[in-house]
Amino acid sequence: QKEVEQNSGPLSVPEGAIASLNCTYSDRGSQSFFWYRQYSGKSPELIMFIYSNGDKEDGRFTAQLNKASQYVSLLIRDSQPSDSATYLCAVKSSGGSNYKLTFGKGTLLTVNP
Amino acid sequence: EAEVAQSPRYKITEKSQAVAFWCDPISGHATLYWYRQILGQGPELLVQFQDESVVDDSQLPKDRFSAERLKGVDSTLKIQPAELGDSAMYLCASSLRAGDSKNIQYFGAGTRLSVL
């Protein structure tokens, strides 16, 4: 059973701080990694993806991947109240000729004004 | 901007009734996914289509759930009969093709099902 683990939170940070969200995965054959943001009652929205070890930056967001440690993280700099949402980590692994996306349970982030 | 279309947005039904959800993927996307998301959990894949063919339905409760994508474009997910435990958000997603690890899935707005 391929698993993706996240702290459910809630993670609470003050406005302007750095929020750090973490995710571990069990399948060493995992190929690619995604972070989705989900506001309450809404559908998941892709915010970052990363395929190679190291850091990838996009605006206030940085994704970090360490395949040896089977660990992926998302940093949000200068956190805003509008960043308050559940952040889902998703990992894509090979299942034969098909790639399957497995989601964690999500971490609830609250940014306090 | 192209979007995945889903309807209805909300559905309330009684136990043992039949319900159906519809999804129209982003134009040109060959792969279509149906997920179920229970409150407080991540989405769980129910069924995946490549064009009109099912490539993964291992988590679909086939005694009551069915899915089809007859012409390889839009898709319908049906539940008959609905049970209380089926209350959840049903999400449709699409991507260009499944056989690519860098393939990105885009989600529709979802259908919130409540079974009374």
Side-chain angles (χ1 to χ4, degrees):
Chain A
Q1 181 78 358
K2 299 172 182 176
E3 296 183 346
V4 177
E5 300 287 343
Q6 294 181 256
N7 288 327
S8 60
L11 173 65
S12 184
V13 300
E15 184 174 355
I18 295 175
S20 178
L21 304 162
N22 305 314
C23 174
T24 60
Y25 58 95
S26 63
D27 182 12
R28 284 196 171 275
S30 297
Q31 303 281 327
S32 45
F33 308 85
F34 303 83
W35 284 98
Y36 285 85
R37 177 176 61 199
Q38 188 172 29
Y39 292 113
S40 181
K42 303 296 185 182
S43 64
E45 172 193 11
L46 180 71
I47 53 172
M48 287 286 290
F49 56 88
I50 186 166
Y51 307 131
S52 303
N53 275 330
D55 294 0
K56 179 182 179 183
E57 186 174 320
D58 183 1
R60 295 187 296 112
F61 299 96
T62 298
Q64 299 175 318
L65 175 61
N66 185 326
K67 289 187 177 181
S69 300
Q70 295 175 241
Y71 176 90
V72 58
S73 65
L74 179 70
L75 300 177
I76 306 174
R77 290 182 299 280
D78 187 24
S79 295
Q80 302 296 309
S82 59
D83 295 326
S84 298
T86 295
Y87 289 80
L88 296 166
C89 174
V91 175
K92 185 167 284 188
S93 304
S94 174
S97 61
N98 183 36
Y99 287 93
K100 190 171 181 175
L101 202 59
T102 302
F103 285 85
K105 292 183 178 180
T107 298
L108 177 62
L109 172 66
T110 301
V111 180
N112 301 306
Chain B
E1 184 175 301
E3 293 183 343
V4 177
Q6 286 190 251
S7 67
R9 290 294 309 278
Y10 304 93
K11 181 69 178 179
I12 300 174
T13 191
E14 293 185 345
K15 187 176 65 170
S16 79
Q17 296 298 302
V19 293
F21 314 127
W22 176 80
C23 173
D24 193 13
I26 293 171
S27 179
H29 281 195
T31 312
L32 184 148
Y33 313 80
W34 283 102
Y35 289 88
R36 176 172 59 187
Q37 185 176 24
I38 296 170
L39 198 62
Q41 304 290 318
E44 179 189 23
L45 181 69
L46 292 175
V47 62
Q48 177 180 338
F49 290 92
Q50 181 68 29
D51 299 308
E52 67 276 7
S53 300
V54 173
V55 296
D56 187 345
D57 63 356
S58 57
Q59 299 303 310
L60 187 71
K62 298 181 186 64
D63 56 337
R64 297 185 301 108
F65 285 64
S66 64
E68 61 182 17
R69 193 184 183 198
L70 294 176
K71 297 184 178 179
V73 181
D74 59 336
S75 175
T76 302
L77 178 69
K78 297 179 181 177
I79 308 175
Q80 182 174 16
E83 296 182 352
L84 296 177
D86 295 332
S87 295
M89 174 82 89
Y90 289 83
L91 295 160
C92 180
S94 71
S95 64
L96 279 171
R97 57 193 177 278
D100 180 348
S101 65
K102 300 179 181 177
N103 201 19
I104 293 174
Q105 295 183 23
Y106 298 93
F107 285 84
T111 297
R112 171 73 66 186
L113 173 67
S114 296
V115 182
L116 306 177

